[in-house]
Amino acid sequence: MEKAINDVVLAVSDVLYRPWLVPLLLLAGGLYFTMRTRFIQLSMFKESIKVVSEKPKSENGISSFGALMVSTASRVGTGNIIGVATAIILGGAGSIFWMWLTALFGGATAFIESTLAQIYKKRNHEGNSYGGPAYYMRDALNARWLGVFFSIIVMFTYAVGYNMLAAYNLQSTFNTFSFYNENTPKVIGVILAIAFGAIVLGGAKRLSDVTKVLVPVMGIVYVGVALIVIILNIKNVPHMFGTIFKNAFDFKAIFGGFTGSCIMFGIKRGLYSNEAGMGSAPNAAATADVSHPVKQGLVQMLSVFIDTLLICSTTAFLCLITDVNPHAYIDGDAANAAGYVQAAIHSTLGNFGPIFISVSMCFFAFTTLIGNYSYCEGCLAFVLKRDLKRSEEIIFRVAAIVLVYVGAVSQADLVWNMADMAQGLMVITNVPVILILGGIAIKCLNDYRKQRYEGIEPHFIAAHIGIKGETDFWK
């Protein structure tokens, strides 16, 4: 049964990742938005750091930093360790370059989609905001059906594809320890499901509180330890960068088998890690209480850089700067990514290394699970056109908890292929929409720049950029 499901998933995924679909949409769309925003990734990088520290307008509102941590909790996770290592093993060191390129252009894409989510966000009964791509599809395009379709894909991607993969990636890091046996994934699956359930059943406020603490702490500690490995192997830095760039532009190898090339693995794993263009982070961006939509667009752009250019690069350097051969960790058509990362860090830090990676993965997986889930209930409410009843919430949350356990005991190829397929479906739905609506976000950006130029603290009024009709905010 599992093989039959995997064959169907793989067939769909193979079509999605042909050069003219997901890769073209991501790279071409990111380049287009980069040009339209006048390279916002660099020109307003300093501004993005400034606005992330601003307090919310209302006492009970969610700050830019809080929304950033929820979206970063989803972005910064097992993909930053296992996903990067998988890309290196199967796609080669050059996949890291293409991962960087995806993130660089993806920063502009993330800005556009999150700014749109802020413009079209809705007000709940407590006065706080919510929203996401489903709402700008409905309100700006007058296409509720598309919003429903997208919401269903989001729930499938995060509650099924990504959360199953996070659970699998976590248990796989224990494979190198002597106590690991056929029952270990089941034990880890039960423990993880219980821990995840305790947070999820506590509600959205607890999700935000937990991620605001865990995400920055775990990121700093992980980068710090990796820097020690890099410093102790500093003599290998020139060779490491030489390998990355040489492999990245080995076009004979790339086009000889595009679907397994460094470009494709760089794009796939970069997308899995930073999610720019998928339309996931805008769900978190819409909850922020800011004076101008551009502020949260800039914050979400920053999240892409934190994820890929900092955390993913950290893992890549940690692996490639050592003398451990990634090709030794190819297991058939799959990759023993956990084994590769642990062997790399063990070569420098000894027995402490694998233990540190396993502990890091526990935190990465946990925050990924709760960050991913935070997107799902809002999407279900959009589909139903009403708030969830308490009984419906319980059933949905229990189903999500069960899927965490299922992911931990599943096979590697199934969970990876399912995640790739699901994220590809999100891209081909969301990116064409933001290409159509991108002009609205650009007008919003110009309004923000104009107010900054005039020395005014930016405040947004929708009518000033020609948005017709009522919005719950920005009047």
Side-chain angles (χ1 to χ4, degrees):
M1 179 65 176
E2 191 168 303
K3 183 181 183 303
I5 295 173
N6 185 53
D7 289 343
V8 173
V9 169
L10 186 59
V12 175
S13 185
D14 284 345
V15 172
L16 290 173
Y17 287 94
R18 293 183 186 277
W20 52 85
L21 284 177
V22 172
L24 182 61
L25 278 174
L26 284 176
L27 295 178
L31 179 60
Y32 172 74
F33 290 131
T34 295
M35 301 304 292
R36 288 291 309 274
T37 59
R38 289 178 279 168
F39 226 107
I40 193 171
Q41 302 96 316
L42 297 181
S43 63
M44 299 191 72
F45 182 76
K46 183 178 179 181
E47 181 76 4
S48 70
I49 296 174
K50 177 182 177 181
V51 299
V52 77
S53 61
E54 291 185 4
K55 294 181 179 180
K57 292 190 299 179
S58 60
E59 184 177 344
N60 296 323
I62 295 178
S63 67
S64 288
F65 182 76
L68 171 68
M69 288 301 101
V70 171
S71 62
T72 305
S74 173
R75 285 187 172 118
V76 177
T78 61
N80 296 86
I81 299 178
I82 303 301
V84 172
T86 300
I88 293 172
I89 294 169
L90 299 179
S95 59
I96 303 305
F97 171 83
W98 294 102
M99 191 178 294
W100 289 336
L101 198 65
T102 302
L104 179 62
F105 291 148
T109 306
F111 168 81
I112 295 292
E113 62 184 358
S114 294
T115 299
L116 287 170
Q118 266 286 320
I119 293 172
Y120 293 100
K121 66 184 181 181
K122 312 303 291 182
R123 191 188 304 273
N124 64 20
H125 62 278
E126 296 176 345
N128 296 322
S129 61
Y130 65 94
Y135 293 89
Y136 58 66
M137 290 173 186
R138 182 192 69 185
D139 297 342
L141 284 183
N142 195 28
R144 173 176 157 75
W145 66 270
L146 187 58
V148 170
F149 175 73
F150 184 78
S151 296
I152 293 170
I153 296 174
V154 171
M155 289 186 285
F156 176 77
T157 300
Y158 286 90
V160 182
Y162 275 13
N163 271 5
M164 285 178 61
L165 181 55
Y168 172 83
N169 283 340
L170 172 59
Q171 69 83 14
S172 71
T173 62
F174 291 90
N175 192 30
T176 58
F177 296 103
S178 59
F179 62 78
Y180 191 94
N181 57 46
E182 67 274 8
N183 292 318
T184 305
K186 298 176 183 178
V187 174
I188 294 174
V190 169
I191 294 172
L192 190 58
I194 291 173
F196 171 68
I199 298 298
V200 168
L201 294 174
K205 183 66 168 59
R206 185 174 294 179
L207 289 175
S208 180
D209 291 343
V210 170
T211 53
K212 278 194 294 187
V213 175
L214 281 182
V215 171
V217 170
M218 88 181 170
I220 291 169
V221 172
Y222 179 70
V223 171
V225 172
L227 278 174
I228 294 173
V229 175
I230 294 168
I231 291 169
L232 293 175
N233 292 276
I234 197 73
K235 67 180 186 300
N236 292 334
V237 167
H239 178 264
M240 177 185 71
F241 280 107
T243 302
I244 290 174
F245 288 106
K246 180 180 178 182
N247 183 245
F249 296 100
D250 184 356
F251 292 112
K252 182 177 180 181
I254 289 170
F255 292 107
F258 189 82
T259 57
S261 70
C262 63
I263 294 180
M264 185 54 68
F265 273 103
I267 291 172
K268 278 185 178 181
R269 298 299 166 252
L271 177 62
Y272 170 56
S273 182
N274 65 53
E275 303 178 15
M278 285 176 55
S280 51
N283 292 278
T287 66
D289 184 15
V290 293
S291 64
H292 199 289
V294 164
K295 290 185 176 181
Q296 196 57 30
L298 291 171
V299 167
Q300 294 304 325
M301 177 187 76
L302 183 63
S303 181
V304 172
F305 296 155
I306 292 172
D307 174 88
T308 303
L309 299 183
L310 179 59
I311 309 294
C312 285
S313 295
T314 295
T315 299
F317 296 161
L318 184 153
C319 291
L320 293 172
I321 206 166
T322 68
D323 296 324
V324 176
N325 180 10
H327 300 300
Y329 293 87
I330 296 177
D331 184 11
D333 293 330
N336 179 12
Y340 175 43
V341 177
Q342 289 176 320
I345 196 170
H346 181 273
S347 69
T348 302
L349 300 181
N351 292 334
F352 167 78
I355 295 172
F356 172 74
I357 291 298
S358 296
V359 172
S360 297
M361 281 292 293
C362 289
F363 286 106
F364 274 94
F366 187 58
T367 55
T368 295
L369 290 171
I370 59 179
N372 287 347
Y373 181 79
S374 68
Y375 297 144
C376 295
E377 287 188 10
C379 289
L380 181 57
F382 181 88
V383 172
L384 297 176
K385 299 178 70 172
R386 60 173 173 78
D387 290 338
L388 275 65
K389 298 177 182 177
R390 182 58 180 168
S391 59
E392 293 170 336
E393 284 183 347
I394 298 290
I395 292 171
F396 192 70
R397 291 172 184 178
V398 169
I401 293 167
V402 171
L403 286 169
V404 169
Y405 172 80
V406 173
V409 299
S410 294
Q411 298 297 312
D413 54 350
L414 175 61
V415 290
W416 274 114
N417 290 334
M418 189 172 292
D420 285 340
M421 179 191 73
Q423 68 183 21
L425 289 171
M426 287 183 66
V427 168
I428 66 171
T429 306
N430 182 60
V431 172
V433 170
I434 62 176
L435 284 169
I436 295 170
L437 300 177
I440 297 172
I442 300 300
K443 289 179 181 179
C444 191
L445 174 60
N446 292 337
D447 176 73
Y448 183 89
R449 281 173 165 158
K450 180 175 180 291
Q451 292 186 60
R452 278 293 190 211
Y453 180 76
E454 294 172 350
I456 303 170
E457 178 61 30
H459 284 77
F460 182 64
I461 298 176
H464 287 178
I465 65 168
I467 294 179
K468 298 178 180 179
E470 289 293 319
T471 58
D472 283 14
F473 296 82
W474 320 123
K475 298 176 183 177

